[in-house]
Amino acid sequence: MAVERIHDVVILGTGLAGLRCALELSRADSGIDIAMISKVQIMRAHSGCAEGGTGAVLNEADGDSFELHGWDTVKGSDFLADQDVIQRFVECSPKEIYLLEHLGLPWSRQENGRIFQRPFGGHSYPRATMAADKTGFMEMQTLYDTLTRFANWTNYHECFATDIIVQDGEFRGLTFIDSRTGEFVIVRGKALLIATGGVGCLYGFTTYSQTVTGDGQAMAIRAGLPLEDPEFIQFHPTGLVPSGILMTEGCRGEGGYLRNSAGERFMDRYAKEKMELAPRDIVSRAETTEILEGRGFEGPEGLDYVHLDLTHLGAEKINKRLPLIREVTMKFLGLDPITTPIPVRAVSHYSMGGIETDINARTRCENIWAAGEVACASLHGANRLGTNSTAECLVFGAIAGDEILKYLKKKKKPADCPAQRVATIEKFLFDDLMQRNGGENPYHIRKELRVAMDRYAGVFRDRDEMNAGLRKVAELVERFEKITVEDRSRVYNSNFYNVLETRNMLLLAQVLLTGAVLREESRGAHSRRDYLRRDDVKWLKHTLVTLDDGGLKVEYKPVTLGKWEPVERKY
Ligand SMILES: Cc1cc2nc3c(=O)[nH]c(=O)nc-3n(C[C@H](O)[C@H](O)[C@H](O)COP(=O)(O)OP(=O)(O)OC[C@H]3O[C@@H](n4cnc5c(N)ncnc54)[C@H](O)[C@@H]3O)c2cc1C
């Protein structure tokens, strides 16, 4: 029997987006009772790993402008982003930098004491606002520190959310397993924010923490909410070989080069003007092409690579601006980037799509909002620019907070949650899934899924490969029915959480590949060998995937255009 908890607002996910929303609510009214739910401890959210910077226009006197940040973002998105969302985003992000500054965040500084910003890929002005290469950690720490001043929130950390219950277009409750006690809990609230982050672990070679498994997207689609543009996955050009750990784009922002096995700075063949600081989709394709055409280095486990060369930057710059990069390469490879180039290749890094929201971070359900990487207000379109994600978490976390505040004024009490629905979920989880004993190892299924996604839905795609991917996922879904769950205990059962995550990942892999096979064009990060060009006549539109009678239904909706006309994308 589930234990019931009731709060005013339920925030699912305590990364940058979740914390920023909680701060907005608490600052406005410290009487609002908030549940903060996270499957890991608060500071373990993946946001703490963000390295390179947060994008914001701080220097209008020197030539930067909202217009320029907006244009860079829309061009970076290959014109699929919604332009009203971009406009609002660029205008709000500087306020977030100053807010964090006032809360005590130690931004990197210029000699004259002003905030320092470095160049980043696809941006035509240096606007990556940073705390060396530990930006996300400092942002998380500042938000969390500030939140500890308020007593209005309950910390449900190490609690694994399983399902969102929606009825009659309204949020009724969220179920989770409290790892610490083993209790199954139904939490009700007047409003829900989903801020569960991305889907990075769908791929084997990824920059993401092992916990980033797309649970929020999977819960949302099961609850009837559409996922938008799921086919667009960003590959970051510089994943450390063989671990996949991110070598921040800040390395190239500080002047690092990419070289092939002949020592050439090959980017001049692909983006003559921007070179290493072209957007990520373009640099990742360039690198992959170099490797495929035999100009890479042979790496372990088939992970051939190119070099990220920082040796000309000098020890002082590397130690001051990229200390984490040096620490990581020394610890993981015994390699000092001051003297030796770093082996890197394109690595799965970010999901541009997510739960469909409007410009106010609201989903199609009237009291559910989504913000951060889990959401798709469509700021990034087909390809995100570096630094725009942490900024998005802050901006849309705050917007969601404001919108929820307005909603709470109207909504006097949480809606009832149908007990039958909770009982059905509980029965499925503990009497069916947890008891399965069919012999299939769920860890093998998860691993095979990730290998398949690397292989069939990577930097370059084509129909046959993606269909092979869909067949592989279908096979894994079937095998998942026959898994054996070894550990049937309730407290800290990480074996069972792995099973729940794998179930979510299998669903999302189907969603991603389905959207990708249907989109017969190349746009941004979705690059098809069988459809080499962007096709604005047929495909200047967003994909929307829903679950319909157990199957996937795909629809489309128009892109919100504006003053920036789609043109050929050159760098
Ligand atoms: C290595 C790395 C470096 C990056 N560097 C940058 C950068 O320099 N600049 C930039 O703009 N972007 C960067 N990004 C991207 C950016 O960091 C992320 O997109 C962003 O931080 C995501 O924040 P979030 O709040 O949406 O989610 P996250 O920080 O991922 O937090 C998700 C939260 O949801 C919780 N959760 C998930 N599932 C469940 C569940 N089932 N039950 C309960 N809780 C759950 C988690 O516990 C966690 O608290 C980087 C990403 C990586 C991986």
Side-chain angles (χ1 to χ4, degrees):
M1 199 39 198
V3 180
E4 187 178 64
R5 305 253 189 267
I6 300 177
H7 297 271
D8 292 325
V9 181
V10 179
I11 295 185
L12 176 59
T14 60
L16 282 174
L19 293 185
R20 183 64 187 87
C21 177
L23 180 60
E24 196 64 11
L25 290 166
S26 305
R27 287 202 307 171
D29 179 354
S30 58
I32 295 173
D33 173 7
I34 306 173
M36 302 278 285
I37 302 168
S38 166
K39 67 180 177 182
V40 290
Q41 291 169 354
I42 289 193
M43 283 301 292
R44 294 279 173 201
H46 185 77
S47 289
C49 303
E51 298 172 4
T54 297
V57 172
L58 303 184
N59 252 324
E60 285 186 279
D62 184 51
D64 200 7
S65 65
F66 295 147
E67 174 74 24
L68 202 55
H69 191 184
W71 166 245
D72 289 343
T73 304
V74 81
K75 185 177 173 194
S77 84
D78 218 347
F79 300 92
L80 192 71
D82 286 343
Q83 295 189 14
D84 53 343
V85 173
I86 292 185
Q87 189 69 40
R88 186 171 190 193
F89 163 76
V90 296
E91 286 170 14
C92 291
S93 67
K95 295 179 204 144
E96 295 299 319
I97 302 293
Y98 296 131
L99 172 71
L100 291 172
E101 157 91 358
H102 297 155
L103 295 176
L105 195 154
W107 295 119
S108 293
R109 299 276 162 185
Q110 305 175 38
E111 289 296 316
N112 65 10
R114 296 180 68 99
I115 293 174
F116 176 81
Q117 294 180 294
R118 69 176 148 215
F120 240 68
H123 290 277
S124 28
Y125 187 91
R127 60 172 82 92
T129 321
M130 54 190 256
D133 52 3
K134 300 174 185 169
T135 307
F137 177 77
M138 294 300 181
E139 291 174 341
M140 286 287 293
Q141 188 70 50
T142 306
L143 289 174
Y144 177 55
D145 259 10
T146 310
L147 272 172
T148 57
R149 289 188 212 151
F150 297 93
N152 60 329
W153 54 282
T154 307
N155 184 1
Y156 293 101
H157 64 166
E158 300 187 302
C159 289
F160 193 104
T162 66
D163 289 273
I164 295 167
I165 300 173
V166 171
Q167 190 163 301
D168 303 328
E170 210 182 352
F171 166 64
R172 303 303 183 103
L174 173 92
T175 52
F176 67 80
I177 305 167
D178 188 332
S179 310
R180 302 161 302 180
T181 60
E183 280 173 335
F184 186 61
V185 180
I186 167 81
V187 56
R188 288 163 53 211
K190 299 172 197 167
L192 167 70
L193 173 77
I194 310 174
T196 45
V199 304
C201 287
L202 266 186
Y203 288 79
F205 190 64
T206 178
T207 57
Y208 271 76
S209 313
Q210 293 299 319
T211 53
V212 181
T213 51
D215 303 342
Q217 289 85 335
M219 284 186 263
I221 192 172
R222 285 203 300 266
L225 298 173
L227 299 184
E228 183 173 342
D229 294 338
E231 62 270 38
F232 294 101
I233 294 291
Q234 175 161 84
F235 294 87
H236 191 293
T238 51
L240 186 66
V241 172
S243 60
I245 298 174
L246 183 74
M247 299 286 100
T248 171
E249 192 166 302
C251 295
R252 286 168 285 137
E254 295 293 349
Y257 297 149
L258 291 171
R259 295 185 192 280
N260 62 17
S261 56
E264 293 167 329
R265 279 181 71 192
F266 55 84
M267 279 310 300
D268 68 354
R269 282 199 287 279
Y270 305 88
K272 220 172 181 41
E273 213 174 292
K274 292 262 185 204
M275 294 290 287
E276 283 87 352
L277 288 179
R280 292 175 178 172
D281 56 336
I282 292 174
V283 183
S284 287
R285 281 196 287 276
E287 263 179 10
T288 309
T289 304
E290 290 295 304
I291 291 172
L292 289 173
E293 292 180 357
R295 295 185 293 278
F297 298 89
E298 201 176 314
E301 300 160 40
L303 294 172
D304 292 353
Y305 59 83
V306 296
H307 272 156
L308 171 63
D309 184 0
L310 309 182
T311 54
H312 55 290
L313 298 185
E316 196 189 328
K317 194 171 198 178
I318 291 175
N319 286 330
K320 188 163 165 203
R321 301 268 175 76
L322 301 165
L324 180 72
I325 293 303
R326 182 161 184 237
E327 187 186 326
V328 167
T329 51
M330 290 179 74
K331 275 200 182 135
F332 282 79
L333 292 183
L335 173 162
D336 188 347
I338 293 174
T339 52
T340 314
I342 306 169
V344 294
R345 62 181 274 130
V347 58
S348 143
H349 180 63
Y350 186 83
S351 108
M352 268 70 75
I355 303 168
E356 181 206 28
T357 74
D358 64 13
I359 192 169
N360 293 320
R362 197 186 213 144
T363 67
R364 286 196 186 189
C365 178
E366 74 150 33
N367 52 349
I368 301 183
W369 284 259
E373 192 169 341
V374 74
C376 182
S378 198
L379 171 63
H380 312 297
N383 174 64
R384 170 175 77 89
L385 293 191
T387 76
N388 274 358
S389 171
T390 47
E392 177 192 25
C393 290
L394 297 168
V395 166
F396 285 91
I399 288 174
D402 279 340
E403 294 294 316
I404 292 172
L405 272 172
K406 285 188 222 155
Y407 184 78
L408 291 182
K409 296 211 168 82
K410 294 188 299 195
K411 184 84 178 172
K412 295 298 168 216
K413 62 179 186 42
D416 292 333
C417 182
Q420 189 52 42
R421 291 279 292 277
V422 183
T424 309
I425 294 166
E426 187 172 12
K427 201 164 164 8
F428 170 73
L429 292 176
F430 299 106
D431 298 347
D432 174 353
L433 199 54
M434 191 185 244
Q435 306 308 323
R436 285 189 196 175
N437 198 8
E440 284 284 352
N441 180 328
Y443 294 97
H444 292 174
I445 293 179
R446 184 178 177 129
K447 178 144 196 227
E448 284 179 46
L449 173 69
R450 299 178 69 189
V451 170
M453 294 303 283
D454 282 344
R455 175 158 173 210
Y456 298 121
V459 172
F460 293 109
R461 305 162 171 192
D462 69 34
R463 182 185 293 117
D464 291 347
E465 278 177 9
M466 288 186 284
N467 279 331
L470 274 168
R471 285 194 299 275
K472 179 69 190 177
V473 179
E475 173 212 312
L476 294 173
V477 168
E478 230 180 279
R479 282 167 52 194
F480 185 81
E481 289 298 309
K482 299 189 279 274
I483 51 169
T484 292
V485 180
E486 299 275 348
D487 183 355
R488 300 200 172 127
S489 64
R490 284 288 190 107
V491 176
Y492 284 109
N493 185 345
S494 55
N495 178 215
F496 191 50
Y497 300 148
N498 175 77
V499 167
L500 294 172
E501 288 170 349
T502 304
R503 171 178 175 238
N504 291 336
M505 289 159 72
L506 286 166
L507 174 58
L508 295 178
Q510 286 172 307
V511 171
L512 191 163
L513 282 161
T514 303
V517 175
L518 291 174
R519 184 173 282 275
E520 294 180 336
E521 66 161 350
S522 285
R523 183 186 296 272
H526 177 64
S527 181
R528 289 187 62 150
R529 290 196 198 91
D530 46 355
Y531 294 92
L532 294 172
R533 300 211 171 282
R534 190 177 86 202
D535 181 349
D536 286 339
V537 177
K538 286 201 197 131
W539 289 104
L540 187 57
K541 56 188 181 186
H542 297 294
T543 305
L544 288 179
V545 186
T546 43
L547 261 183
D548 192 30
D549 261 347
L552 297 180
K553 186 166 107 194
V554 183
E555 291 165 301
Y556 296 93
K557 71 169 188 182
V559 174
T560 307
L561 296 171
K563 60 184 168 191
W564 295 296
E565 289 286 325
V567 291
E568 193 192 342
R569 195 164 158 249
K570 284 197 197 135
Y571 287 94

